[in-house]
Amino acid sequence: MAEGSDSSSMGFLGRHYKEVKEHWKSNFAFLDYYKKTFGRTEPLPKWTDADVEEFIASDPFYGPQLNAIRESRKYAIFGALLGAAHLGGVSLRYSKSPHGFVLATGFGALCGGVLGLEVAEHWKQLYKIDKQAANLRFLYWWEDKTLGNQRN
Amino acid sequence: MILIRLGDGLAELDPSGSIDLVNLQNDALPGGSSVEKMDKNSRFAVHADASFALRGFLSGTSVCSRMDGVCQKLQSLEPLRGCRTVMKLPYGCSFLPENSQPMSSIHGSRGIHVTRTLSESTRVVSNRPLSPHLPVKKPQLSATFSISHRIFGASLASAILLIPIAWQFSLLLDI
């Protein structure tokens, strides 16, 4: 085994180790997303809803996906309100403690929000799209727009 | 002032929870010298931790409106003690209530554990000092291991539960 790795710079073990590293790099590829947001020396300028709308109009493929993702926000808010009201009402019915009401309402908002996002995911078929890729495309577009302006 | 009958003597229950024997004249008591009174006090002293429940029980059963009902209920179990208002507590001490405290009447007809309003409990409970426990115990490997295991387990459980939820929220709500 030692002779094998000595005979060539990339012996059997070396090649295997390289394959393993690439495998895990592809597994953790979702972390590259954060290089675009946190891994910068200076942050990108903050975008507004109008900029996002502009991107949605401009990109034929990722635009509708990003639009669907943004629509799911309304589902989350509606679900959070519903869940908070329901669980807060239940806690008020059975107990008079104010901290219990606060905790129950908070937890109800969390559960309702998650449920709303799940409903949106299946109603708009968001499970079919790569949400991270859609977000990343917008970031690429925004980066080209702002840094391109700075360059020019 | 609540007087407690301990065996043959009378004791006063003060707010701190300990029972001090009432300094009564010898002829006022049915019997017993002061030395016997001290023994009875040491035997039947109510601990400060038990005072809350005991106080609740005492104040709960000392309400005027309920006294007749409780008296009749208890007298059905015990033979008449010669005094209508004398009630028997579980561990051999009975008490006769002097002035039924007005504050207990607002709790209604409840049993042993009368819920006290926050103002009442803070008035009598919060001022006593506690004996040191954490500052004096020498840290040992077993105890340190146990609490760090619990802390790590709690943080791991919350991380496992909350990180996917945070991921989903961030993906769908970031842009």
Side-chain angles (χ1 to χ4, degrees), chain A residues 30 33-34 69-70 73 114 117-118 131-132 135 138, chain B residues 161-162 165-175:
Chain A
F30 65 93
Y33 174 75
Y34 292 106
I69 292 173
R70 282 168 68 83
R73 240 189 273 188
V114 172
L117 287 179
E118 279 298 306
K131 299 183 262 291
Q132 204 179 39
N135 286 345
F138 170 75
Chain B
L161 287 177
L162 293 177
I165 294 179
W167 177 252
Q168 188 184 20
F169 271 99
S170 81
L171 262 191
L172 287 171
L173 302 176
D174 251 354
I175 297 177

Side-chain angles (χ1 to χ4, degrees), chain A residues 91-92 94-103:
Chain A
S91 73
L92 276 182
Y94 291 106
S95 150
K96 285 196 190 60
S97 69
H99 57 278
F101 171 69
V102 169
L103 286 172

Side-chain angles (χ1 to χ4, degrees), chain A residues 62 65 69 126-136, chain B residues 171:
Chain A
Y62 290 105
Q65 291 184 2
I69 292 173
L126 295 178
Y127 52 85
K128 286 185 184 173
I129 65 173
D130 190 353
K131 299 183 262 291
Q132 204 179 39
N135 286 345
L136 211 53
Chain B
L171 262 191

Side-chain angles (χ1 to χ4, degrees), chain B residues 34-77:
Chain B
S34 52
V35 179
E36 292 175 14
K37 276 191 266 178
M38 292 289 288
D39 294 334
K40 281 172 192 150
N41 187 18
S42 57
R43 238 188 318 146
F44 288 108
V46 178
H47 297 292
D49 297 328
S51 66
F52 202 63
L54 183 61
R55 216 181 307 131
F57 175 73
L58 294 176
S59 63
T61 51
S62 70
V63 174
C64 272
S65 58
R66 285 189 67 246
M67 248 192 334
D68 297 340
V70 175
C71 253
Q72 285 160 14
K73 214 179 352 179
L74 287 177
Q75 282 169 0
S76 64
L77 307 171

